[in-house]
Amino acid sequence: MSPISYKDYDGLGLAELVRKKEVQPNELVECAIQEIERHNPNLNAVIHKMYEQAKQSLDMPIPEGRFMGVPMLLKDITQEVKGEPITSGSRSLQQYRAAEDSNYVRKLREVGAIFLGQTNVPEFALMGNTEPAFYGPTKNPWNMGHTPGGSSGGSAAAVASGMVPIAGANDGGGSIRIPAAYCGLFGLKPTRGRTPVGPTVGRNWQGASVDHVLTRSVRDSAAMLDELSVHEKSAAHHAPLFQGSYLDYANIPLEHPMKIAFSFDSPLGTEVHPECREAVLKTVKMLESMGHHVEEKTPAIDGVKLANSYMMMYFGEVAAAIKSSEQVLGRKARFNDVEATTWILGLLGKSMSAEEFVLHLREWDKAAYIMEQFHETYDFYVTPTTAFPPAKIGELDPSPMQKLAINLIGKMRLGSLLKKTGIVDQLATESLMRTPFTQLANLTGQPAMSVPLHQTADGLPCGVQFMAARGSEHLLYQLAGELEESPYWLDFRENPVFQA
């Protein structure tokens, strides 16, 4: 099979060729390796290669699952493969080796996927861009001067460039949807508790983070969610198992006009780029032409308060991640073990009280209740996926003066002092200003998807986000399946790296 024809198929298409014996899994693996070796030196999407392990796995019978023989990449956080490193983008974990497969990886093995490596992430998956100090930045296949987003930026760049049709991803604040928006891909964050998290933990980021995939086609995402959906007994959160097939729904048009709310105002009250606003307006017109009832309406949620509650969780999880890294380091963590900004976030986490943490988590449940009421009226809530198109590589780095202050504060361990300065509000605004729309679904537990419906004047993808009530992934897939046929759906094959 030639690399060109390999890139023409999505995951289900490749698996169908394997089932019909028109191509052998080893041929697909070789094609994928060729594409990784061709593009990765420029994109830096894959940071750990597992070629030999993949070839050895072909010596054993491949499970005759839905993705039999399909090459995949996994994200370098939580998606553990026994015996392989997984660093979460941090030098502090470079000596770690997984003791067993994660349940997510086990499910993928059962459907016949072949793993070729792991993809780049920002340290501890903390940023909406993928520029870890340990591995260096991943670049966007549409324009290599720009970020592919984060934290699943390596996976997005790999899929958009044609290395693999599907890559592992997870989403704790937009980490599937943001890279999908920036790379012209489809990305759906499932309902909380829908996909596996074990066996070593019962929740990730207090349940905000959910594992799934990034794909080029809607049907690959839907079929993969069919396979990944699970009632995991040891998990902290459970979504009722869906009595149907998401793949089937992706092929069924919505039966009646939907009531749809939309907004392009940032929940933080900050700027939204004209291209991102245009993406929503264009989508609204298309939805109206499809017969749906669309009106501008925003849920009655205090976006700033919710952003602060998200950041409080964020600080606590960073502090815990740094503390946990000491088991690998074999000593107390030091300032130079992680990036300076990560260390500052950890100091803020250490300075929080248990009372503060609990009170902020309660805001999640209040927002969830409001959104459930909102979805009694509106089937979907539409916003830009991000408030700005992709930033340039390095654009979001701290200034020299900020770096100096960060290093000084970090080395002096002034976390308590930081809290008194009002920096939490400032960090919430500055950190989320470019991506203020995605966190809501993580905190409420709702499913949400980014669809590639717009391209900027500079040729960069710009996604549109759709949210639905908990457990309503099937409705999102139905709508996505229809939108995929529209003339606005971005063709990932038009990006320069894919064509190379």
Side-chain angles (χ1 to χ4, degrees):
M1 187 178 199
S2 72
I4 294 175
S5 60
Y6 160 77
K7 290 164 67 172
D8 286 339
Y9 291 89
D10 65 0
L12 288 174
L14 292 176
E16 182 66 16
L17 294 177
V18 171
R19 271 191 292 275
K20 292 180 176 178
K21 301 190 185 304
E22 294 179 18
V23 68
Q24 295 298 314
N26 66 303
E27 295 178 83
L28 298 183
V29 166
E30 288 300 332
C31 285
I33 291 173
Q34 286 182 47
E35 292 303 313
I36 294 170
E37 291 301 306
R38 176 181 289 116
H39 299 306
N40 200 57
N42 292 323
L43 293 176
N44 193 35
V46 181
I47 49 83
H48 175 63
K49 297 170 183 175
M50 296 163 52
Y51 298 165
E52 292 308 312
Q53 299 92 317
K55 291 175 182 178
Q56 289 172 12
S57 71
L58 297 176
D59 294 334
M60 303 290 291
I62 301 172
E64 295 185 14
R66 194 174 261 170
F67 291 93
M68 181 182 182
V70 177
M72 269 195 69
L73 292 162
L74 299 167
K75 186 176 177 180
D76 183 34
I77 188 166
T78 75
Q79 297 174 4
E80 299 193 349
V81 176
K82 182 178 180 179
E84 298 298 326
I86 188 159
T87 67
S88 302
S90 178
R91 66 171 61 89
S92 67
L93 298 178
Q94 60 186 303
Q95 300 303 320
Y96 177 76
R97 297 294 180 275
E100 57 185 321
D101 286 353
S102 69
N103 288 346
Y104 174 90
V105 166
R106 289 174 184 169
K107 294 287 286 184
L108 292 178
R109 286 195 194 280
E110 290 172 5
V111 300
I114 308 294
F115 308 127
L116 289 175
Q118 294 165 336
T119 60
N120 205 7
V121 300
E123 187 168 51
F124 299 136
L126 296 177
M127 301 298 173
N129 55 357
T130 301
E131 301 178 27
F134 188 47
Y135 292 112
T138 296
K139 300 174 182 178
N140 192 320
W142 290 82
N143 184 322
M144 288 195 284
H146 292 258
T147 180
S151 64
S152 305
S155 289
V159 174
S161 63
M163 296 180 192
V164 290
I166 307 170
N170 39 48
D171 192 318
S175 291
I176 286 174
R177 289 160 288 156
I178 294 166
Y182 285 173
C183 292
L185 301 175
F186 179 75
L188 181 141
K189 181 201 84 69
T191 297
R192 179 179 300 155
R194 176 73 69 205
T195 59
V197 296
T200 57
V201 297
R203 74 189 82 192
N204 286 313
W205 280 23
Q206 307 306 309
S209 184
V210 185
D211 279 68
H212 193 33
V213 291
L214 277 159
T215 63
R216 300 182 206 133
S217 69
V218 172
R219 69 174 195 161
D220 271 359
S221 176
M224 194 58 86
L225 192 58
D226 279 336
E227 302 299 337
L228 287 171
S229 295
V230 66
H231 180 85
E232 197 172 32
K233 291 182 179 179
S234 61
H237 304 283
H238 302 102
L241 289 174
F242 180 58
Q243 302 302 311
S245 163
Y246 295 117
L247 179 58
D248 288 345
Y249 272 86
N251 293 308
I252 301 172
L254 291 163
E255 292 183 359
H256 53 84
M258 294 282 152
K259 193 161 187 183
I260 301 172
F262 77 92
S263 174
F264 36 63
D265 293 333
S266 166
L268 300 178
T270 50
E271 181 185 355
V272 176
H273 193 280
E275 292 278 15
C276 299
R277 298 170 69 91
E278 175 60 24
V280 172
L281 286 173
K282 186 169 71 174
T283 301
V284 164
K285 291 177 182 177
M286 179 168 55
L287 292 169
E288 288 175 334
S289 72
M290 294 165 67
H292 300 300
H293 304 301
V294 188
E295 65 180 89
E296 189 171 357
K297 183 73 173 179
T298 304
I301 290 174
D302 186 330
V304 173
K305 181 181 284 188
L306 199 65
N308 285 339
S309 74
Y310 173 76
M311 293 304 293
M312 280 294 184
M313 175 276 294
Y314 196 73
F315 301 151
E317 289 289 346
V318 175
I322 294 172
K323 183 66 177 177
S324 296
S325 73
E326 295 178 350
Q327 298 174 23
V328 179
L329 293 167
R331 55 169 171 77
K332 285 188 69 65
R334 301 169 187 153
F335 177 70
N336 290 330
D337 289 321
V338 295
E339 296 173 25
T341 303
T342 303
W343 186 259
I344 295 292
L345 296 174
L347 290 181
L348 284 165
K350 285 186 175 183
S351 70
M352 291 188 329
S353 69
E355 175 188 50
E356 289 176 288
F357 194 80
V358 170
L359 287 173
H360 279 281
L361 284 181
R362 288 179 181 175
E363 294 298 324
W364 299 19
D365 298 331
K366 293 177 186 176
Y369 183 75
I370 291 170
M371 289 306 296
E372 284 302 311
Q373 290 184 310
F374 187 80
H375 284 297
E376 288 178 6
T377 302
Y378 300 101
D379 299 292
F380 301 112
Y381 179 45
V382 183
T383 69
T385 305
T386 64
F388 287 83
K392 293 180 179 179
I393 299 290
E395 180 181 344
L396 306 181
D397 288 350
S399 69
M401 286 299 294
Q402 287 174 322
K403 288 179 181 177
L404 185 64
I406 287 169
N407 278 287
L408 180 63
I409 292 167
K411 289 176 179 176
M412 295 181 69
R413 296 175 175 265
L414 299 177
S416 299
L417 179 62
L418 277 174
K419 273 184 65 181
K420 295 175 184 177
T421 66
I423 197 170
V424 173
D425 290 346
Q426 183 183 344
L427 275 172
T429 299
E430 290 184 358
S431 299
L432 304 179
M433 185 178 72
R434 298 186 70 91
T435 57
F437 298 103
T438 49
Q439 294 80 35
L440 176 60
N442 297 93
L443 306 192
T444 60
Q446 297 171 245
M449 65 181 181
S450 179
V451 293
L453 292 176
H454 185 66
Q455 191 170 9
T456 70
D458 296 333
L460 290 165
C462 189
V464 177
Q465 176 177 247
F466 291 77
M467 292 175 59
R470 287 191 194 184
S472 297
E473 289 96 327
H474 62 295
L475 294 180
L476 290 171
Y477 280 126
Q478 277 188 279
L479 181 57
E482 289 188 80
L483 294 175
E484 194 173 23
E485 301 302 317
S486 80
Y488 293 133
W489 191 274
L490 213 56
D491 188 344
F492 59 88
R493 292 169 295 191
E494 292 180 358
N495 82 68
V497 172
F498 190 92
Q499 294 172 347

